Amino acid sequence: MLTIFLQAQQGSSSMMLIMMGVMFVGFYFLMIRPQMRKQKQEKTFQETLKVGTRVVLTSGLHGRIAQVQDDGFVIETLSGKLKFEKAAVSREFTETRFGEKAKAAAEKTAEKKEIDTEKK
């Protein structure tokens, strides 16, 4: 009787390990991987912005990029020029507000960067 109980316990623990592994893989593909993809798109969008592009910041501020610096952007608004970090520019809000214009401009500059890196 004791041996049957111990064998049942061993089978149960290996099954539990398999289920834990399946859950981890599921979390990776359903939560972690899409979040990493979204962060990569956001970073690429922020790197491809250039002077004159109309953007929306995460705070909801609308403006036009007046100057691109290493650590951020100078955004021209109706009230003047303000400096913001690059992370403050929202790809999602910008695409929602300015639609295809912003998306097309970002894709065009991204393609140019890819071509330039391939040539090197």
Side-chain angles (χ1 to χ4, degrees):
M1 183 82 151
L2 183 59
T3 56
I4 294 172
F5 180 71
L6 291 175
Q7 287 176 352
Q9 287 254 335
Q10 288 176 348
S12 174
S13 65
S14 65
M15 187 62 131
M16 183 175 280
L17 287 175
I18 291 171
M19 290 301 291
M20 293 284 281
V22 168
M23 286 176 56
F24 178 75
V25 169
F27 276 123
Y28 176 78
F29 281 106
L30 294 175
M31 297 178 75
I32 298 170
R33 190 166 178 230
Q35 183 65 28
M36 290 172 40
R37 182 180 299 138
K38 186 176 178 181
Q39 287 175 345
K40 185 177 180 181
Q41 288 175 340
E42 191 81 22
K43 185 177 180 183
T44 305
F45 174 76
Q46 291 166 355
E47 289 175 354
T48 58
L49 292 174
K50 59 184 186 224
V51 175
T53 305
R54 296 175 68 178
V55 294
V56 179
L57 304 179
T58 55
S59 62
L61 183 76
H62 293 234
R64 187 179 308 266
I65 296 177
Q67 190 177 30
V68 178
Q69 299 175 344
D70 291 336
D71 59 342
F73 297 112
V74 174
I75 307 290
E76 185 177 359
T77 65
L78 293 175
S79 61
K81 293 183 180 180
L82 304 167
K83 183 177 178 180
F84 287 93
E85 295 290 325
K86 287 185 177 185
V89 177
S90 172
R91 177 185 60 88
E92 183 179 344
F93 293 159
T94 300
E95 287 178 357
T96 300
R97 175 64 172 101
F98 299 114
E100 295 299 319
K101 293 178 189 176
K103 193 174 187 180
E107 288 177 357
K108 191 174 186 180
T109 54
E111 288 176 5
K112 286 182 183 178
K113 277 190 175 184
E114 287 179 14
I115 292 171
D116 291 341
T117 56
E118 288 175 0
K119 288 182 181 178
K120 291 179 183 180

PDB file of all heavy atoms in Angstrom, residues 11-26:
ATOM      1  N   GLY A  11       4.546  10.451  -9.702  1.00  0.00           N
ATOM      2  CA  GLY A  11       3.852  10.792 -10.945  1.00  0.00           C
ATOM      3  C   GLY A  11       3.207  12.159 -10.854  1.00  0.00           C
ATOM      4  O   GLY A  11       3.206  12.928 -11.797  1.00  0.00           O
ATOM      5  N   SER A  12       2.678  12.464  -9.704  1.00  0.00           N
ATOM      6  CA  SER A  12       2.023  13.749  -9.484  1.00  0.00           C
ATOM      7  C   SER A  12       3.027  14.903  -9.542  1.00  0.00           C
ATOM      8  O   SER A  12       2.747  15.949 -10.104  1.00  0.00           O
ATOM      9  CB  SER A  12       1.302  13.734  -8.140  1.00  0.00           C
ATOM     10  OG  SER A  12       0.786  15.003  -7.848  1.00  0.00           O
ATOM     11  N   SER A  13       4.212  14.712  -8.962  1.00  0.00           N
ATOM     12  CA  SER A  13       5.193  15.795  -8.958  1.00  0.00           C
ATOM     13  C   SER A  13       5.744  16.062 -10.360  1.00  0.00           C
ATOM     14  O   SER A  13       5.965  17.211 -10.739  1.00  0.00           O
ATOM     15  CB  SER A  13       6.334  15.498  -7.980  1.00  0.00           C
ATOM     16  OG  SER A  13       7.062  14.367  -8.405  1.00  0.00           O
ATOM     17  N   SER A  14       5.954  15.020 -11.140  1.00  0.00           N
ATOM     18  CA  SER A  14       6.439  15.242 -12.504  1.00  0.00           C
ATOM     19  C   SER A  14       5.357  15.910 -13.356  1.00  0.00           C
ATOM     20  O   SER A  14       5.660  16.773 -14.173  1.00  0.00           O
ATOM     21  CB  SER A  14       6.897  13.927 -13.138  1.00  0.00           C
ATOM     22  OG  SER A  14       5.804  13.050 -13.288  1.00  0.00           O
ATOM     23  N   MET A  15       4.113  15.536 -13.118  1.00  0.00           N
ATOM     24  CA  MET A  15       3.012  16.164 -13.841  1.00  0.00           C
ATOM     25  C   MET A  15       2.900  17.635 -13.448  1.00  0.00           C
ATOM     26  O   MET A  15       2.642  18.489 -14.301  1.00  0.00           O
ATOM     27  CB  MET A  15       1.709  15.420 -13.547  1.00  0.00           C
ATOM     28  CG  MET A  15       0.574  15.912 -14.387  1.00  0.00           C
ATOM     29  SD  MET A  15       0.928  15.626 -16.115  1.00  0.00           S
ATOM     30  CE  MET A  15      -0.558  14.873 -16.616  1.00  0.00           C
ATOM     31  N   MET A  16       3.128  17.922 -12.169  1.00  0.00           N
ATOM     32  CA  MET A  16       3.065  19.310 -11.704  1.00  0.00           C
ATOM     33  C   MET A  16       4.180  20.137 -12.351  1.00  0.00           C
ATOM     34  O   MET A  16       3.946  21.279 -12.763  1.00  0.00           O
ATOM     35  CB  MET A  16       3.181  19.392 -10.185  1.00  0.00           C
ATOM     36  CG  MET A  16       3.037  20.811  -9.666  1.00  0.00           C
ATOM     37  SD  MET A  16       3.037  20.911  -7.900  1.00  0.00           S
ATOM     38  CE  MET A  16       1.360  20.465  -7.574  1.00  0.00           C
ATOM     39  N   LEU A  17       5.373  19.571 -12.476  1.00  0.00           N
ATOM     40  CA  LEU A  17       6.478  20.277 -13.133  1.00  0.00           C
ATOM     41  C   LEU A  17       6.152  20.555 -14.602  1.00  0.00           C
ATOM     42  O   LEU A  17       6.453  21.637 -15.120  1.00  0.00           O
ATOM     43  CB  LEU A  17       7.770  19.478 -13.018  1.00  0.00           C
ATOM     44  CG  LEU A  17       8.426  19.461 -11.640  1.00  0.00           C
ATOM     45  CD1 LEU A  17       9.623  18.533 -11.642  1.00  0.00           C
ATOM     46  CD2 LEU A  17       8.843  20.862 -11.242  1.00  0.00           C
ATOM     47  N   ILE A  18       5.552  19.592 -15.252  1.00  0.00           N
ATOM     48  CA  ILE A  18       5.168  19.781 -16.654  1.00  0.00           C
ATOM     49  C   ILE A  18       4.134  20.897 -16.768  1.00  0.00           C
ATOM     50  O   ILE A  18       4.239  21.776 -17.639  1.00  0.00           O
ATOM     51  CB  ILE A  18       4.637  18.455 -17.255  1.00  0.00           C
ATOM     52  CG1 ILE A  18       5.782  17.457 -17.391  1.00  0.00           C
ATOM     53  CG2 ILE A  18       3.974  18.704 -18.600  1.00  0.00           C
ATOM     54  CD1 ILE A  18       5.345  16.059 -17.763  1.00  0.00           C
ATOM     55  N   MET A  19       3.146  20.898 -15.889  1.00  0.00           N
ATOM     56  CA  MET A  19       2.117  21.939 -15.911  1.00  0.00           C
ATOM     57  C   MET A  19       2.711  23.318 -15.629  1.00  0.00           C
ATOM     58  O   MET A  19       2.325  24.310 -16.253  1.00  0.00           O
ATOM     59  CB  MET A  19       1.011  21.621 -14.897  1.00  0.00           C
ATOM     60  CG  MET A  19       0.159  20.426 -15.285  1.00  0.00           C
ATOM     61  SD  MET A  19      -0.655  20.632 -16.876  1.00  0.00           S
ATOM     62  CE  MET A  19      -1.805  21.899 -16.474  1.00  0.00           C
ATOM     63  N   MET A  20       3.665  23.396 -14.702  1.00  0.00           N
ATOM     64  CA  MET A  20       4.331  24.673 -14.402  1.00  0.00           C
ATOM     65  C   MET A  20       5.093  25.164 -15.641  1.00  0.00           C
ATOM     66  O   MET A  20       5.082  26.348 -15.952  1.00  0.00           O
ATOM     67  CB  MET A  20       5.282  24.511 -13.217  1.00  0.00           C
ATOM     68  CG  MET A  20       4.583  24.221 -11.909  1.00  0.00           C
ATOM     69  SD  MET A  20       3.813  25.657 -11.223  1.00  0.00           S
ATOM     70  CE  MET A  20       5.230  26.427 -10.512  1.00  0.00           C
ATOM     71  N   GLY A  21       5.749  24.253 -16.330  1.00  0.00           N
ATOM     72  CA  GLY A  21       6.467  24.615 -17.545  1.00  0.00           C
ATOM     73  C   GLY A  21       5.535  25.121 -18.627  1.00  0.00           C
ATOM     74  O   GLY A  21       5.808  26.122 -19.293  1.00  0.00           O
ATOM     75  N   VAL A  22       4.402  24.450 -18.790  1.00  0.00           N
ATOM     76  CA  VAL A  22       3.406  24.865 -19.780  1.00  0.00           C
ATOM     77  C   VAL A  22       2.855  26.242 -19.426  1.00  0.00           C
ATOM     78  O   VAL A  22       2.672  27.098 -20.302  1.00  0.00           O
ATOM     79  CB  VAL A  22       2.272  23.819 -19.896  1.00  0.00           C
ATOM     80  CG1 VAL A  22       1.100  24.359 -20.696  1.00  0.00           C
ATOM     81  CG2 VAL A  22       2.800  22.543 -20.517  1.00  0.00           C
ATOM     82  N   MET A  23       2.621  26.484 -18.141  1.00  0.00           N
ATOM     83  CA  MET A  23       2.117  27.793 -17.712  1.00  0.00           C
ATOM     84  C   MET A  23       3.145  28.889 -17.985  1.00  0.00           C
ATOM     85  O   MET A  23       2.794  29.981 -18.443  1.00  0.00           O
ATOM     86  CB  MET A  23       1.762  27.763 -16.221  1.00  0.00           C
ATOM     87  CG  MET A  23       0.477  27.011 -15.932  1.00  0.00           C
ATOM     88  SD  MET A  23       0.090  26.873 -14.181  1.00  0.00           S
ATOM     89  CE  MET A  23       0.093  28.560 -13.665  1.00  0.00           C
ATOM     90  N   PHE A  24       4.416  28.613 -17.720  1.00  0.00           N
ATOM     91  CA  PHE A  24       5.460  29.608 -17.972  1.00  0.00           C
ATOM     92  C   PHE A  24       5.542  29.939 -19.458  1.00  0.00           C
ATOM     93  O   PHE A  24       5.625  31.111 -19.839  1.00  0.00           O
ATOM     94  CB  PHE A  24       6.819  29.117 -17.468  1.00  0.00           C
ATOM     95  CG  PHE A  24       7.928  30.069 -17.741  1.00  0.00           C
ATOM     96  CD1 PHE A  24       8.056  31.228 -16.996  1.00  0.00           C
ATOM     97  CD2 PHE A  24       8.835  29.828 -18.761  1.00  0.00           C
ATOM     98  CE1 PHE A  24       9.068  32.131 -17.256  1.00  0.00           C
ATOM     99  CE2 PHE A  24       9.847  30.727 -19.033  1.00  0.00           C
ATOM    100  CZ  PHE A  24       9.960  31.873 -18.270  1.00  0.00           C
ATOM    101  N   VAL A  25       5.502  28.924 -20.300  1.00  0.00           N
ATOM    102  CA  VAL A  25       5.542  29.147 -21.746  1.00  0.00           C
ATOM    103  C   VAL A  25       4.313  29.944 -22.188  1.00  0.00           C
ATOM    104  O   VAL A  25       4.417  30.868 -23.003  1.00  0.00           O
ATOM    105  CB  VAL A  25       5.642  27.797 -22.501  1.00  0.00           C
ATOM    106  CG1 VAL A  25       5.426  27.975 -23.991  1.00  0.00           C
ATOM    107  CG2 VAL A  25       6.989  27.151 -22.236  1.00  0.00           C
ATOM    108  N   GLY A  26       3.157  29.613 -21.626  1.00  0.00           N
ATOM    109  CA  GLY A  26       1.936  30.359 -21.951  1.00  0.00           C
ATOM    110  C   GLY A  26       2.038  31.819 -21.551  1.00  0.00           C
ATOM    111  O   GLY A  26       1.677  32.714 -22.316  1.00  0.00           O
TER     112      GLY A  26
END
